[in-house]
Amino acid sequence: MAEQPDNVLIETIGLEKHFDSLHVLRGIDQQVKRGEKVVVIGPSGSGKSTFLRCLNRLEEPTGGQILFEGVDITAKHSDINRIRRKMGMVFQQFNLFPHMTVLRNMTLAPVRLKVMSQEQAEEKAMGLLTRIGLKDKATQYPRALSGGQQQRIAILRALNMNPDIMLFDEPTSALDPEMVGEVLDLMRQLVNDGMTMVVVTHEMGFAREVGDRILFMDEGVIVEEAPPAQLFSNPQKERTKRFLEKVL
Amino acid sequence: MGFFEQLARDFQFNIIDGDRYLMLVRGLGTTVLIAMCAAIIGIVLGSVIALMRLSTWRMGKTFYPLRAISSFYVDVIRGTPMVVQLMIMYYVILASSSLSKELIAIISFGLNSAAYTSEIVRGGILAVDKGQTEAGRSLGLSSAQTMMLVVLPQSVRIVIPSLFNEFIMLLKETSVVGFIGLADLTKAGDFIRSRTFSAFFPLMTVAVMYFVIVSLLTRVFGRVERRLRKGDGRTA
């Protein structure tokens, strides 16, 4: 096993992904430190979502390695279900379970996986809901909630597992514009709590504000990475400049 | 003798005399019994086959044994007539068994229905958004847990109308059990015809009895479906 400094939470080594003949990730070497907020930007089709989804093997990498807390999670014998408990994920489409109440959405996995007792899970869930002012929604079904509320609850559902890292796959892209703010606010709270986060987003303002490091991806590689102040105001690569001119 | 008088006499002779209606009622009982038991086998086995067809267990690069077995099964059942399957079961496979004809019919129709049901269930599973599976898996649930807790409960609501329809088809299809000498509703009517040498009343009565049962079932099923939709809150 590769040596890894203690403060590195997750590391990819030569990460590759092929979809049949399509070469989507062409060798990504990255380290995310504990507490770090990494924001991935890039044009659609650049592979940024695939990169994120490879981190918890929702997408199976076709080459390279991923080390999470020092463990090679791409190894054949690795227990990915156990590892995923420590990695929360938030999707573009929320993906709340429509046949369950908000509370059950949040307690299902922690209880079933024996991370917590039913009472503990509910107590924690209610605490989280109270914090974002949605305590009264606990017994409602997702369909009764707005998109912004659903996405915030999807974030809480992941948080209720006590993850060590949160992965966000374009969390605001499916939202009506007036609901983007409330989701970003909740993500800012996570930032302040010191959560390790990898965020794929088109929200450049948010990226600049909370990112410790921005990765600009295009055509399956990380073209450029830098702290936001540097990457946004003084990009080094031609491709980065062209992309930023279009989106800023 | 007037037309209606003649009709009444025919009815009396064909249906009432010799308690022939009892034969029809008993036949209906057999029909319903076989259909219901077969439907239960069909749903249980059909779900198993559906899960097999969707399994990702693989030998080597491209061979999925469970998929191969299950799709072969579905192909064979769908590619041969029900009556032939029933007769093979009765005269060949279970020829030396001591099972009752009813049981053999139940097994045959159950195995047949399972193939069709598996396609319905498979469609229902595939109709649940992929994001649901991903959400379940991303939380650390195993694929079996995700299937049982997240996907199947949602597909049940999707497949119920089709399953009801399959049951109605099954009920009518059991009319071929006379081929192995079972006295179901159809056979009862046919038996009366052979005794009275008059075809109209026995066969019409049989048809009406099927029709009434199917209509009743359609109503009940419709009510159940509406209730399910309400519970789910979907607008569709």
Side-chain angles (χ1 to χ4, degrees), chain A residues 63-84:
Chain A
Q65 272 184 311
I66 301 168
L67 306 182
F68 178 68
E69 299 181 338
V71 178
D72 182 356
I73 66 170
T74 43
K76 268 220 164 86
H77 57 270
S78 78
D79 182 354
I80 191 63
N81 293 333
R82 185 161 281 279
I83 290 152
R84 282 181 183 145

Side-chain angles (χ1 to χ4, degrees), chain A residues 53 81 84 95-96 99 143, chain B residues 131-132 134 137 149 232:
Chain A
R53 290 160 56 84
N81 293 333
R84 282 181 183 145
N95 295 341
L96 289 176
H99 58 302
R143 63 172 181 273
Chain B
Q132 292 290 310
E134 291 185 346
R137 298 307 305 277
L149 299 167
D232 189 31

Side-chain angles (χ1 to χ4, degrees), chain A residues 97-152:
Chain A
F97 306 133
H99 58 302
M100 298 179 191
T101 62
V102 164
L103 193 60
R104 186 123 169 10
N105 261 281
M106 292 175 65
T107 55
L108 178 79
V111 174
R112 285 282 167 167
L113 299 172
K114 302 193 169 61
V115 175
M116 297 172 213
S117 70
Q118 184 74 40
E119 295 75 43
Q120 286 173 313
E122 281 182 15
E123 199 185 312
K124 183 168 165 65
M126 290 310 291
L128 288 169
L129 285 169
T130 306
R131 207 175 131 186
I132 64 165
L134 292 180
K135 191 175 131 211
D136 56 323
K137 305 290 185 195
T139 56
Q140 305 236 339
Y141 286 86
R143 63 172 181 273
L145 308 175
S146 72
Q149 291 171 335
Q150 288 192 44
Q151 188 63 302
R152 288 190 288 152

